[in-house]
Amino acid sequence: MTKVQDMKRNKARAGLRSTLMVLAMSSLLAGCATSGNPKDPVEGFNRAMFAFNEGLDAAIIKPVAKGYDAVLPTPVRTGVTNFFGNIADFFIGVNNLLQGKPDQAASDLGRVLVNSTIGILGIFDVATGAGLEKHEEDFGQTFGRWGVGDGAYVVLPFFGPRTVRDTAGLVLDSMADPVADIDHVPTRNTLLALRIVDTRADLLPADKVIEEAALDKYSYIRDGYLQRRRNLVHDGNPPREQADY
Amino acid sequence: MKRIPGLLGLLGLCFSVIFGPSAGAADLAPDVLVKDVTSEVLDIVRKDKDIRNGNTPKVLELVETKVVPHFNFARMTRLALGRDGKQATPAQMTTLVEEFRTLLVRTYSKALSEYRDQEIVYKPLKMAPTDTDVKVRTEIRQSGGKPVQLDYYLEKTAAGWKVYDMEVGGVSLVTNYRSSFSQEIRANGIDGLIHSLQAKNKTDPAKK
């Protein structure tokens, strides 16, 4: 076995181990205080993790994202978002294929080809203009498409809201992530950090709206996450479930 | 012969004078209504630097005059309450509708002041002539990201089509409150929910 394969296996194991640990912790804490929401059986644990993530965000990630947003001109910011979007498009295509949508998969791979070349390493998204629309897929959605239920809602440290199913998806997403596979450690870490900051900066406007809307930010984000994922699994057309009373 | 188009034009004018008032917003098709209101409001936002810089009273006024008349807040409140709505007395319901309306208007206004020239695409409407409940689909295109779905649910009333739900990326701005509302009602009753809505609405929107 080559060294690279070995490293990948170790990484996969480490990812799996941390997920199992989180799940084990969640079930241990399942007896903690809850408000009886059936989708959120470990609410006590989740609220603690949510507070931890919020603290981390307020102390480090959000201020850095704000500075980043203020310093960089919009075309550069868009270029960075496009660059990472292009890297992600490959596995979005793989997931579309796994979900039995070969047309969409072909379109995603077409995007990678066009944007990596004409779009200069993905910095310009020329594919969208050419009619190849960007999609949003991940392994959690693929499992959902295959009929795997959500499972309990969990807030993971650092990663934020997930369900048990989406946590399993996240492990595969991270293993498949080309950025995390870069062997040159300084380059890899710089890119990983840049991606976090860029993603966070894109969310700054939504932040203000959520603050304005939420009575209780924790449950607003939880319910929004669950609705959003349901929408994504059904590719934007979930069966409507709300009824008037 | 040349006079005929002129005559027809005159006839048309008469018709529009006679039937004009009733052919206002009340008779607009739901997708046309959404498109008209959206483009009118966004045009104002684009041209108004104060709004883009977060002048809260000005955005609130814009939303109150241009958007609110097309919303059915009573239905929105019932949707958000779900089954728990049955516990509310008519007086409590009136207060709930009023407070929930304030919260939604403020949220909508905040979202509007974050608008930055994104392109809005209107999807074709699927609707039978007899339908009284439709979903109007739009999409916000932004550079560097997947387009965001923005859908409006409208119902036909005597006063024209009214929006009773809005979904951003599949997340309903209305039903997203359901579980936290029911949690609050279970813990502190309808009055508890009224109090927490009032407390939320008393915070100064300009400070955020």
Side-chain angles (χ1 to χ4, degrees):
Chain A
M1 185 179 295
T2 67
K3 203 180 158 197
V4 176
Q5 273 176 326
D6 207 33
M7 271 170 55
K8 276 188 186 163
R9 240 182 45 169
N10 282 339
K11 210 178 82 185
R13 276 207 202 117
L16 203 64
R17 216 181 299 136
S18 50
T19 313
L20 288 175
M21 246 171 66
V22 169
L23 294 183
M25 266 158 68
S26 317
S27 50
L28 266 178
L29 288 155
C32 287
T34 80
S35 56
N37 186 322
K39 286 177 181 165
D40 192 1
V42 289
E43 187 172 338
F45 167 81
N46 283 344
R47 280 193 187 265
M49 278 306 126
F50 180 76
F52 169 77
N53 287 343
E54 286 276 289
L56 185 74
D57 182 60
I60 303 168
I61 303 170
K62 191 175 177 180
V64 175
K66 271 186 161 171
Y68 171 85
D69 190 48
V71 167
L72 289 188
T74 311
V76 179
R77 289 261 290 96
T78 306
V80 174
T81 304
N82 285 342
F83 174 77
F84 288 115
N86 183 50
I87 292 176
D89 274 343
F90 180 76
F91 270 97
I92 290 175
V94 170
N95 275 299
N96 265 325
L97 202 59
L98 291 173
Q99 293 173 29
K101 294 179 285 185
D103 296 0
Q104 297 208 15
S107 153
D108 294 324
L109 300 185
R111 283 181 58 83
V112 177
L113 284 179
V114 173
N115 284 342
S116 303
T117 52
I118 306 170
I120 314 171
L121 297 176
I123 293 167
F124 299 97
D125 178 9
V126 276
T128 296
L132 299 174
E133 197 177 273
K134 183 158 177 69
H135 300 129
E136 187 174 345
E137 302 291 348
D138 51 57
F139 282 102
Q141 287 180 57
T142 299
F143 293 151
R145 193 80 176 188
W146 290 351
V148 180
D150 285 307
Y153 176 74
V154 272
V155 181
L156 305 179
F158 306 103
F159 292 99
R162 290 290 185 285
T163 58
V164 171
R165 181 196 71 208
D166 291 341
T167 306
L170 174 68
V171 176
L172 291 186
D173 291 334
S174 326
M175 277 162 59
D177 180 12
V179 178
D181 262 353
I182 296 170
D183 284 333
H184 189 249
V185 176
T187 310
R188 180 181 70 207
N189 291 347
T190 309
L191 285 177
L192 286 173
L194 178 61
R195 186 167 62 185
I196 292 171
V197 173
D198 184 66
T199 309
R200 183 64 185 90
D202 286 341
L203 293 172
L204 287 170
D207 241 20
K208 295 183 196 164
V209 180
I210 290 173
E211 292 287 350
E212 192 70 61
L215 286 182
D216 168 26
K217 196 174 175 186
Y218 169 81
S219 48
Y220 197 82
I221 287 181
R222 175 193 64 206
D223 299 334
Y225 176 81
L226 294 173
Q227 276 200 61
R228 172 80 185 135
R229 293 299 294 180
R230 186 167 175 271
N231 179 272
L232 282 174
V233 168
H234 290 93
D235 285 333
N237 287 303
R240 190 150 167 87
E241 66 177 4
Q242 29 263 17
D244 271 320
Y245 291 95
Chain B
M1 288 301 268
K2 268 189 181 171
R3 276 194 190 156
I4 290 174
L7 271 175
L8 282 177
L10 202 65
L11 204 66
L13 191 70
C14 291
F15 267 107
S16 61
V17 168
I18 296 166
F19 298 105
S22 66
D27 285 356
L28 283 182
D31 53 335
V32 179
L33 176 72
V34 167
K35 192 173 179 177
D36 283 1
V37 173
T38 309
S39 23
E40 189 186 1
V41 168
L42 291 185
D43 250 3
I44 297 172
V45 175
R46 256 181 233 120
K47 286 175 192 150
D48 196 320
K49 268 210 159 138
D50 291 346
I51 289 179
R52 297 167 64 125
N53 290 334
N55 182 327
T56 312
K58 226 173 163 178
V59 199
L60 284 174
E61 198 202 307
L62 175 67
V63 173
E64 283 288 348
T65 51
K66 300 285 182 196
V67 182
V68 160
H70 307 292
F71 278 14
N72 180 350
F73 290 101
R75 172 112 191 248
M76 286 180 176
T77 311
R78 267 185 289 130
L79 253 182
L81 288 170
R83 205 166 280 136
D84 298 313
K86 282 182 183 162
Q87 299 176 31
T89 65
Q92 282 174 324
M93 202 60 184
T94 311
T95 318
L96 279 172
V97 173
E98 205 174 292
E99 295 298 332
F100 193 46
R101 175 191 194 277
T102 307
L103 181 62
L104 288 176
V105 167
R106 281 172 52 163
T107 305
Y108 191 93
S109 307
K110 183 56 98 180
L112 207 55
S113 61
E114 295 296 323
Y115 174 77
R116 294 289 177 271
D117 292 324
Q118 291 93 336
E119 185 200 354
I120 313 284
V121 179
Y122 301 88
K123 301 278 180 109
L125 177 70
K126 286 179 211 148
M127 177 191 167
T130 50
D131 282 353
T132 54
D133 193 323
V134 296
K135 175 178 174 181
V136 174
R137 310 185 57 141
T138 74
E139 205 175 79
I140 306 170
R141 297 262 166 94
Q142 44 184 3
S143 52
K146 183 183 178 266
V148 178
Q149 257 179 281
L150 178 55
D151 298 335
Y152 302 83
Y153 291 86
L154 295 96
E155 59 174 345
K156 197 174 192 174
T157 71
W161 289 89
K162 301 285 173 197
V163 174
Y164 68 89
D165 196 0
M166 261 177 91
E167 284 182 5
V168 184
V171 180
S172 159
L173 291 183
V174 176
T175 58
N176 205 42
Y177 287 102
R178 191 176 278 178
S179 78
S180 57
F181 278 11
S182 94
Q183 202 170 314
E184 183 68 37
I185 291 172
R186 244 179 294 134
N188 303 308
I190 297 279
D191 283 330
L193 176 62
I194 291 176
H195 287 146
S196 69
L197 279 169
Q198 282 169 338
K200 170 81 192 168
N201 289 336
K202 269 191 200 116
T203 55
D204 184 358
K207 278 186 183 153
K208 283 192 199 126

